[in-house]
Structure formats: C-alpha cells, structure tokens
Amino acid sequence: MARQQRLICASRDLVDGGDGTRFEMNDQQGRAPAFVIRHDGEVYAYLNRCGHVSVEMDWQPGRFRDMSGLYLICAVHGALYDPATGHCICGPCNGKGLTPLEVVEHDGEVFLMEG
Ligand code: FES
C-alpha cells in the first residue's frame, strides 16, 4: 500500500522552541495521541506517551517544553527528552525514549506519513 501524507497543521503554527500541536493517529492499539514540534528549524513528531508510564506528557495542551526550552518534559514526574531524537535525557524514563513518527514539511504545511 502506498504511503500517504495526512495534513497535521500549517508550518506557521509551529514556532521554533514553542508549543507543540497535538493530533491523533492510528496505531496497533487504536487511536493514539501524538504531537509535532519545531526545534532548530526542523519539525519532529512523537507519540504523546511517556517512556516511564504510558500517559500523555503535556502539562497543558501542547505544552511539552521544560523551563529552559531545550528539552521536552513529562508533566507527571519530570522525565526529560531530546526534542530532536526523543531520547531520554534524564529522569524516570530510565533510557526509554519517545516513539518517533515520520513527518514532512512542504508548501507551508506539515504532514504525517502514514501507511
Ligand atoms: S509518567 Fe512521565 S515521567 Fe513518569
């Protein structure tokens, strides 16, 4: 089956170092929460599931950054993740990173690659 692009948001919605945009996708377990952010000019998307406990991480909808703005943080127990890789930096994620999703950006819009 050919892969498809699903529109997530406009490029202008993702401010570098700012909030993320939440969306949902289908995975093996059904509907799954996810988010996309911009970091150092690039867009990155992950399932919105902490590596510690499988819960959503944002402390308010779309707020995934720690106080420094350098990392993604889980609001539940404070695990920190690298925005560009999803790798666990420190905290109770214990080396378990976020699940990356493939996104592409063109023509002023951001798309999730599906299929
Ligand atoms: S659930 Fe995210 S750090 Fe514990």
Side-chain angles (χ1 to χ4, degrees):
M1 189 172 92
R3 301 191 76 199
Q4 296 188 338
Q5 297 181 9
R6 176 162 68 92
L7 177 64
I8 301 300
C9 63
S11 294
R12 66 176 176 275
D13 294 342
L14 296 176
V15 176
D16 205 336
D19 291 351
T21 294
R22 293 167 53 103
F23 63 96
E24 286 197 330
M25 60 170 293
N26 291 315
D27 72 358
Q28 296 92 339
Q29 299 163 24
R31 299 295 285 173
F35 65 98
V36 61
I37 56 157
R38 186 180 302 281
H39 184 76
D40 287 344
E42 300 292 325
V43 292
Y44 300 95
Y46 301 99
L47 286 182
N48 190 0
R49 285 190 188 134
C50 185
H52 179 215
V53 178
S54 184
V55 296
E56 297 184 28
M57 303 191 309
D58 35 346
W59 51 277
Q60 289 183 6
R63 299 270 170 109
F64 294 94
R65 303 268 179 184
D66 73 336
M67 295 288 281
S68 73
L70 297 175
Y71 303 108
L72 305 178
I73 188 168
C74 175
V76 182
H77 306 114
L80 292 181
Y81 299 93
D82 182 334
T85 64
H87 293 168
C88 171
I89 300 294
C90 68
C93 40
N94 292 323
K96 186 175 179 199
L98 302 176
T99 301
L101 304 171
E102 187 177 355
V103 285
V104 294
E105 181 175 29
H106 57 82
D107 303 317
E109 295 178 317
V110 178
F111 301 85
L112 175 70
M113 297 300 298
E114 293 185 312

